[in-house]
Amino acid sequence: MWKSRFHVAPPYGLLNDPNGLIYWKGEYHLFYQWNPNACEHGAKHWAHLRSKDLINWETLPVALSPTDSFDKNGCYSGSAIEKDGEIHLFYTGNVKNNGVRESYQCLATSKDGVNFEKKGPVIHDNDIPKEYTRHFRDPKVFMENETYKMVIGAQRVDLTGTVVVFSSKDLINWTFDKEVINEDFGFMCECPDFITDKKNSALLFSPQGIEADGDLYNNRYQSGYIIRELEEINKNNFIELDRGFEFYAPQTFIDEFHKNVLIGWMGMPEELDHPTIEKENWVHSLTLPRTLEITKNKILQTPHPNLKKLRKEKIQLEGIKIKNSLNLSEFGICGDTYELIIDLKNLDTDFKIDLRVGETEKTTFSYNYEKKKATLNRNHSGAGYTGTRSCSLKELEKIHIFMDKSSVEIFLNDGEEVFTANIYPNKSSLGIEIMTKMLFTIPMIKFFRI
Ligand code: FRU
């Protein structure tokens, strides 16, 4: 009853990071970290899906399995790049011998986009500079100034987190360049990425061990970015990509429209208290694809335009006067799989929307106009984790919600902020209610059943 209708989820077992995202020969390839053996972290495989539109996915054979000496305890996260017409996958071979970790950055290639041939390590465990521990993983490869670069998440020997970069001319021979973060980011930085969009660039990564600070950094681990060039090592203003609850280890790729697109893991390491495990033998899914725009001081994230393909029946309301509360079910607006867009231009009072409303359940997004604060509350959502997450927001002008069977993604003001969360309500909790403190006329509500 909680299996995602339009999010990528595993058939069984555990899914974590999206890997190897690439638009290649007119098709999207998506891989994810998969443990097919149990709903827990274990020997990771690369599950493989293919799509013409980023929406309808076809399952292909598993691309990588942990069967070799250099990856026997897991084919960990990594990325894809095209060279000479072939897909090149770079991933971390995780090895543990008597509890001692080794880390190999490995290559696998494919001519047909279905069968992958492992070529073994290109950065050997012995090549890891002595300044770092074996928490050295998640190669993301890209081209900059005619040189291939690989960013890798790393831990210094003093147990602080950073990101390092290697260079190569041929994707085979790699040399260590330097650290690209000179501050401490917790005890480990996972899944780094680097993107450029016209004039602006951003370094993305998922630091572990940053302490909560008011409304900031409240998830167990964070995922975020610094607006900067790869070389601007002293710029360390870290911004979270998502305000919670489940969002981690995102990866980007360039889509058919030449835009940077991001997909994240809708999950969190070490948090496995999800009711799907016991009831349905699967856990976690990926976020929807988000188109990124890098501005001078922020990354904006909007739902990928191809998601419009999911839209079925449409209900549109205009100029709806509301004071106190309005039950949208009266207009046929309700359900457990939908897209909902509410235009709130000129909002001058507190606003609240309850989703998946049932007799005793509701998931509440609210905006406090005085405090300029947006909050997602899942204390009454049903089964699973509870809690609230908040962020400051100068104005609330628009909310754009994607509701799936066990998740909700809420985009604010065309991607200024995003909240992503798993919720596990009852089947019968389908209501949607809106509340305002003072009289307000909502310019437009658009609802699409999915
Ligand atoms: C992030 C991560 C990566 C690692 C992978 C293993 O969630 O810990 O650093 O490569 O998961 O599944």
Side-chain angles (χ1 to χ4, degrees):
M1 95 183 197
W2 289 310
K3 200 56 170 288
S4 314
R5 161 108 30 107
F6 55 94
H7 286 77
V8 170
Y12 47 85
L14 175 143
L15 164 155
N16 57 305
D17 315 354
N19 293 154
L21 304 175
I22 189 167
Y23 182 63
W24 182 73
K25 298 193 175 168
E27 292 179 315
Y28 294 97
H29 288 260
L30 178 160
F31 307 79
Y32 61 80
Q33 289 283 284
W34 186 33
N35 182 4
N37 304 317
C39 289
E40 58 187 40
H41 293 274
K44 296 292 167 65
H45 297 59
W46 277 41
H48 186 190
L49 304 175
R50 182 171 64 185
S51 169
K52 291 208 187 318
D53 58 9
L54 265 181
I55 308 298
N56 299 293
W57 294 98
E58 168 197 5
T59 302
L60 295 177
V62 166
L64 302 172
S65 301
T67 48
D68 287 272
S69 58
F70 49 79
D71 61 18
K72 74 182 176 69
N73 297 94
C75 297
Y76 274 14
S77 286
S79 57
I81 190 165
E82 168 173 359
K83 181 172 181 278
D84 303 329
E86 297 184 16
I87 299 183
H88 288 60
L89 299 182
F90 289 89
Y91 68 99
T92 298
N94 182 47
V95 171
K96 269 190 180 165
N97 286 321
N98 303 321
V100 180
R101 189 187 288 267
E102 294 169 21
S103 174
Y104 299 86
Q105 313 316 312
C106 307
L107 171 65
T109 61
S110 176
K111 288 188 183 24
D112 62 5
V114 179
N115 301 291
F116 288 83
E117 191 185 332
K118 287 187 188 172
K119 305 279 184 183
V122 290
I123 300 174
H124 199 273
D125 184 75
N126 293 331
D127 299 331
I128 297 176
K130 63 176 190 329
E131 287 80 6
Y132 308 100
T133 73
R134 265 48 192 170
H135 285 288
F136 201 82
R137 56 177 170 267
D138 311 335
K140 172 79 200 252
V141 175
F142 54 94
M143 173 78 102
E144 204 186 49
N145 302 328
E146 322 246 306
T147 303
Y148 293 108
K149 301 272 181 185
M150 179 192 285
V151 278
I152 298 181
Q155 182 183 59
R156 301 185 190 96
V157 286
D158 67 0
L159 307 188
T160 55
T162 186
V163 173
V164 300
V165 60
F166 282 68
S167 294
S168 171
K169 286 286 177 200
D170 57 9
L171 291 181
I172 307 290
N173 299 290
W174 291 91
T175 48
F176 176 77
D177 278 357
K178 60 183 159 207
E179 259 181 37
V180 287
I181 294 182
N182 60 4
E183 255 186 31
D184 299 350
F185 271 91
F187 57 83
M188 173 65 189
C189 293
E190 298 189 313
C191 301
D193 200 343
F194 182 75
I195 51 173
T196 300
D197 161 11
K198 295 180 207 121
K199 285 187 282 310
N200 302 311
S201 300
L203 179 69
L204 284 66
F205 54 104
S206 295
Q208 299 189 314
I210 299 191
E211 268 179 43
D213 176 7
D215 289 336
L216 299 176
Y217 321 135
N218 280 279
N219 294 342
R220 177 183 300 267
Y221 298 131
Q222 278 60 52
S223 290
Y225 58 92
I226 303 169
I227 299 283
R228 50 167 274 193
E229 298 297 324
L230 201 53
E231 307 298 329
E232 278 181 285
I233 292 178
N234 291 317
K235 233 174 146 187
N236 286 322
N237 183 27
F238 180 77
I239 304 172
E240 282 171 280
L241 270 163
D242 195 282
R243 299 301 171 179
F245 297 75
E246 279 81 23
F247 181 88
Y248 195 68
Q251 187 176 97
T252 68
F253 64 102
I254 308 270
D255 73 355
E256 65 202 280
F257 310 112
H258 311 288
K259 297 272 194 197
N260 289 301
V261 174
L262 174 144
I263 295 179
W265 169 28
M266 196 148 47
M268 194 51 71
E270 295 155 51
E271 292 187 356
L272 274 173
D273 199 4
H274 293 273
T276 55
I277 296 180
E278 214 184 282
K279 296 245 160 63
E280 301 178 8
N281 191 33
W282 67 280
V283 65
H284 301 314
S285 47
L286 299 180
T287 69
L288 294 175
R290 307 172 179 181
T291 301
L292 305 182
E293 189 193 329
I294 316 174
T295 68
K296 273 205 175 61
N297 44 32
K298 200 168 178 107
I299 293 182
L300 303 178
Q301 308 168 66
T302 46
H304 193 276
N306 290 9
L307 290 164
K308 294 196 176 106
K309 282 191 136 196
L310 291 168
R311 295 176 175 178
K312 292 197 181 124
E313 182 202 351
K314 176 180 176 182
I315 300 173
Q316 184 164 324
L317 307 177
E318 282 168 45
I320 298 287
K321 272 205 175 51
I322 145 165
K323 183 165 191 251
N324 300 324
S325 90
L326 178 70
N327 186 348
L328 288 183
S329 312
E330 285 172 24
F331 304 90
I333 297 180
C334 57
D336 58 4
T337 50
Y338 58 80
E339 179 184 355
L340 178 64
I341 303 169
I342 306 181
D343 181 356
L344 293 168
K345 225 158 268 135
N346 303 321
L347 179 73
D348 55 2
T349 182
D350 290 355
F351 172 87
K352 203 154 97 165
I353 181 164
D354 287 339
L355 306 161
R356 298 298 308 265
V357 181
E359 244 168 68
T360 56
E361 293 175 351
K362 60 184 180 184
T363 298
T364 304
F365 171 80
S366 59
Y367 182 66
N368 185 313
Y369 182 74
E370 293 293 308
K371 293 193 175 138
K372 307 286 171 219
K373 199 184 259 215
T375 301
L376 179 63
N377 181 329
R378 63 171 176 188
N379 281 327
H380 308 284
S381 291
Y385 290 97
T386 56
T388 64
R389 291 285 183 276
S390 295
C391 73
S392 54
L393 191 76
K394 273 209 193 101
E395 265 173 311
L396 179 62
E397 295 186 319
K398 183 176 170 186
I399 53 182
H400 193 159
I401 299 173
F402 284 86
M403 180 66 73
D404 203 340
K405 294 276 181 185
S406 54
S407 66
V408 59
E409 281 153 287
I410 305 178
F411 296 79
L412 305 179
N413 300 350
D414 289 318
E416 206 180 315
E417 299 292 347
V418 191
F419 286 83
T420 301
N422 284 129
I423 49 170
Y424 301 98
N426 260 309
K427 243 189 184 154
S428 57
S429 299
L430 301 171
I432 306 178
E433 278 175 46
I434 293 182
M435 283 137 282
T436 52
K437 194 165 163 194
M438 317 253 270
L439 182 69
F440 178 68
T441 305
I442 298 181
M444 171 98 75
I445 298 179
K446 281 188 201 167
F447 174 84
F448 302 91
R449 223 172 284 290
I450 293 180

